[in-house]
Amino acid sequence: MPTSDGESLIGWYSQAAPGCPTLLFLDGNAGGPAIQSGRWRRLHAHGVGFLGLAWRGYAGSSGQPDEAGLHQDARAGYDWLRARNIAAGDIVVHGFSLGSGPATRLAAERETGALILEAPYFSLLDLMQQKLPLLPVGLLLRNRFRSDVWIGQVEAPVLIVHGDGDRLIPPTQSERLFELAAGAARTRIVMPGSDHATLARDGLYDHVWPFLDAGWGEEGALPTCSGLAFGAR
């Protein structure tokens, strides 16, 4: 996939079953599609399409990662899906960890069917200030990923999932972010015992399927996803 600043991104894509949404997955730091095979199996088994991006500089994508570049990468993935005639309302943006920042901004700037945030931060700036209270983080940190600025502008339904055992991004980060989310169509789930990178393994999608079903269900404003078989991991 080409980006607006001339980079070339690698992505893994699976077409959705008729009437089902397509998930744009924005991974964490140094992640790549090859290590997320468990996610892809779960989505594919339920008829949900997906595009898993490799950030610039990782897993075969060109360029060097920085905040501005990652936002461009997220837009490139969205635009690639739209160019395949996937309706904006059928795109679900899913950001994990570092990817939650670009996901939040993308959902604020572009029309989407829903936003899923997995182990997100309030902002990277706030997180680093919390972890390094004795350092002038505000002066030193170039990449700030201000999800707190963008979350209130997201009009799509929002699902936030965090583990109460997360040692990298404390769940208080997503709690505060949830409080800023606009509208009534927002849900936050705290999974007991889950760490930062174990949510998918521990049953994340048991919460994702009902959330999507509410949007793509029989009475929902979004198209019915008749191919979904909710309830299985």
Side-chain angles (χ1 to χ4, degrees):
M1 287 158 284
T3 68
S4 59
D5 60 342
E7 302 298 347
S8 181
L9 305 180
I10 297 295
W12 286 20
Y13 173 69
S14 177
Q15 186 174 350
C20 292
T22 297
L23 191 145
L24 173 59
F25 184 75
L26 304 178
D27 210 342
N29 183 44
I35 65 173
Q36 298 290 351
S37 59
R39 295 182 188 274
W40 312 146
R41 285 196 296 269
R42 290 175 173 89
L43 293 167
H44 184 72
H46 285 77
V48 177
F50 63 83
L51 173 61
L53 284 184
W55 294 122
R56 59 182 61 203
Y58 294 102
S61 295
S62 68
Q64 295 295 321
D66 60 11
E67 181 176 1
L70 266 59
H71 287 306
Q72 289 174 310
D73 293 351
R75 295 184 196 108
Y78 179 93
D79 291 342
W80 189 87
L81 291 174
R82 294 289 287 117
R84 296 183 69 90
N85 296 318
I86 297 174
D90 287 341
I91 297 174
V92 175
V93 179
H94 182 155
F96 165 58
S97 189
L98 179 66
S100 65
T104 301
R105 180 169 180 175
L106 180 66
E109 294 181 331
R110 304 288 181 91
E111 180 185 354
T112 61
L115 172 65
I116 299 172
L117 299 177
E118 178 183 349
Y121 41 77
F122 185 75
S123 74
L124 192 58
L125 173 63
D126 183 83
L127 177 64
M128 296 310 296
Q129 287 175 330
Q130 180 178 336
K131 287 182 171 292
L132 303 169
L134 300 181
L135 293 181
V137 173
L139 298 176
L140 300 174
L141 191 66
R142 291 179 55 200
N143 302 315
R144 302 189 173 205
F145 290 102
R146 295 294 305 273
S147 298
D148 58 316
V149 172
W150 295 101
I151 190 68
Q153 301 178 44
V154 176
E155 297 181 356
V158 177
L159 171 66
I160 296 176
V161 184
H162 217 134
D164 67 0
D166 195 327
R167 292 168 290 181
L168 184 62
I169 301 178
T172 53
Q173 289 277 308
S174 67
E175 180 180 13
R176 293 166 56 210
L177 189 66
F178 175 76
E179 292 172 354
L180 296 180
R186 55 183 182 141
T187 303
R188 180 173 178 264
I189 303 292
V190 178
M191 294 178 55
S194 293
D195 202 346
H196 186 70
T198 67
L199 291 165
R201 180 200 71 187
D202 295 342
L204 166 71
Y205 289 92
D206 290 342
H207 304 291
V208 170
W209 304 142
F211 172 72
L212 293 182
D213 196 25
W216 276 263
E218 187 173 355
E219 299 299 326
L222 298 169
T224 299
C225 183
S226 58
L228 288 179
F230 295 108
R233 292 187 182 180

